Amino acid sequence: MTARGASATLPGALAAWRDGPTVPFPRSLVYDLTLDCNLRCPMCLYQGQRSPQRPFSELARGFERFVDRIDSVYIIGAEPMTRGDLPEAVAWFKSRGKRVAVQSNGTIMREDVIAAVDRFDTSLDGLERANDAVRGPGSFVRTMGSIDRALAHGTMGTVSTVAMEDTIADIEPLVRLLEQLDVAGIDLSPVVRYTAAERDRMAALGFGPDELAMPAGTYAAGFRDQFDGLLRRLDPAPLVSVSPAYLGRTSAPFFDGRPRHGQSCGAVYSLRVGPAGEVIHCGMLRRSFGSIVDDDVPALWRGPMRAFRQRLYRAGLFPICYRCCKRSWVW
């Protein structure tokens, strides 16, 4: 049974998502502070993408209009530490009683931010040799330095790692290293790539290139078997999670690029705001529905975003959704 033919008795969140009009306004905010980054990682969804951005001071009045409706804020990028006003944004949300987390590649040391947030998440793709081949010389040491400071401040959260053909052999040793530290978790995902046919299908549905985070490419022969073997070896590791979570049961939907049974959209769990204050569907499908400065955001959620969710459901999800790595950023 696909999402299109789902039963009227679907449980919990999936039923709410299916019933687009009934989805409540989220209690979690994801704030894409910037799409700029100091690195050029080959697996990055936003590699080469640029987006207008506005200072946080200009967006604060927009956030003020709905901040009482949210409980937590996840500040993300590309790389939020490149923005000089990141501490201002963190302090503003904290002053309003919100839990604030930041996700960073960890190569830019901002101890004021690391100390101020409730949770600091970062990423590594292997031990030093493998990680630096992807992220650049010295990046492993710098990220480990940020982890050290987050551990000292009691704010260390999750370390994300992306499995690629050139790094997959180094991921298990990385996990064993991180298990010796007091990190909250280790989140493992396979690299996300889309075929030309999948991108063409999204274009045919009316989405422009600037709305899509769909890095091109195919998976090397044998990579799926390598990834499945890695998951089997790491299965006993209590700190390790895998995104998407269904990869722990089967990797076929991800690597074959097709919807899985009962798949839903995690974007309903968070409101996502882009660098210029635009209200977008999610990090991968970056369609804008308005602005936090110029529009009534709850009305956007109930109106044009509701209509878009219904379209998404009727389509049984779009091709860009099949490899979505994160059910949601709620924490």
Side-chain angles (χ1 to χ4, degrees):
M1 179 175 60
T2 65
R4 183 179 302 176
S7 160
T9 59
L10 289 172
L14 181 55
W17 174 76
R18 179 209 60 191
D19 296 331
T22 70
V23 175
F25 192 80
R27 303 298 299 179
S28 179
L29 168 69
V30 177
Y31 178 23
D32 285 338
L33 192 65
T34 180
L35 294 191
D36 292 341
C37 189
N38 60 315
L39 304 181
R40 295 294 179 269
C41 302
M43 72 289 192
C44 182
L45 293 172
Y46 306 138
Q47 186 179 172
Q49 288 200 357
R50 292 292 179 268
S51 176
Q53 55 188 33
R54 297 171 68 175
F56 180 79
S57 58
E58 293 183 9
L59 298 182
R61 62 187 176 91
F63 285 121
E64 188 72 72
R65 295 160 65 181
F66 63 89
V67 71
D68 288 344
R69 303 185 67 148
I70 62 172
D71 298 323
S72 62
V73 183
Y74 200 76
I75 302 177
I76 196 169
E79 180 44 59
M81 296 291 195
T82 62
R83 281 280 296 265
D85 57 355
L86 173 58
E88 177 186 355
V90 171
W92 190 90
F93 287 113
K94 290 286 290 181
S95 72
R96 282 147 180 83
K98 310 306 168 186
R99 292 177 292 134
V100 180
V102 166
Q103 187 197 54
S104 165
N105 62 43
T107 63
I108 300 175
M109 174 61 75
R110 298 284 296 273
E111 188 157 2
D112 56 340
V113 173
I114 291 172
V117 295
D118 296 283
R119 196 180 84 191
F120 173 77
D121 290 349
T122 190
S123 52
L124 289 166
D125 296 311
L127 297 179
E128 187 168 2
R129 177 198 59 81
N131 184 83
D132 288 8
V134 173
R135 295 176 178 252
S139 59
F140 181 84
V141 170
R142 293 196 297 273
T143 300
M144 290 300 293
S146 293
I147 290 173
D148 177 73
R149 300 318 303 150
L151 289 169
H153 288 289
T155 59
M156 186 61 222
T158 297
V159 178
S160 297
T161 184
V162 176
M164 294 167 279
E165 289 86 345
D166 294 339
T167 65
I168 193 166
D170 252 49
I171 290 176
E172 190 171 357
L174 173 66
V175 168
R176 302 311 175 200
L177 171 66
L178 294 173
E179 284 178 322
Q180 301 174 44
L181 306 176
D182 193 20
V183 301
I186 305 159
D187 191 64
L188 172 63
S189 300
V191 61
V192 177
R193 299 186 181 123
Y194 293 94
T195 65
E198 288 168 330
R199 286 176 283 126
D200 289 346
R201 286 174 61 195
M202 290 302 296
L205 289 169
F207 295 97
D210 60 329
E211 296 181 306
L212 306 173
M214 295 184 77
T218 56
Y219 295 98
F223 177 67
R224 176 172 158 185
D225 289 339
Q226 284 183 288
F227 186 79
D228 288 346
L230 175 65
L231 289 191
R232 286 193 296 270
R233 295 192 301 276
L234 292 178
D235 184 59
L239 289 181
V240 177
S241 60
V242 59
S243 295
Y246 68 79
L247 284 169
R249 299 185 296 277
T250 174
S251 62
F254 186 95
F255 289 106
D256 294 344
R258 56 182 171 83
R260 69 182 176 89
H261 173 78
Q263 187 172 5
S264 63
C265 176
V268 301
Y269 298 95
S270 298
L271 178 75
R272 193 148 189 152
V273 174
E278 67 276 25
V279 180
I280 59 179
H281 175 70
C282 70
M284 299 173 72
L285 214 172
R286 304 186 68 85
R287 170 154 293 187
S288 175
F289 297 91
S291 164
I292 65 169
V293 174
D294 301 323
D295 298 299
D296 180 338
V297 175
L300 293 179
W301 185 262
R302 296 189 304 269
M305 298 184 77
R306 162 184 161 180
F308 184 82
R309 290 192 299 268
Q310 291 174 320
R311 178 190 172 195
L312 184 66
Y313 173 73
R314 287 193 299 270
L317 301 185
F318 300 136
I320 194 172
C321 306
Y322 301 163
R323 297 190 183 93
C324 179
C325 278
K326 302 293 182 186
R327 185 179 74 87
S328 72
W329 290 104
V330 178
W331 62 285

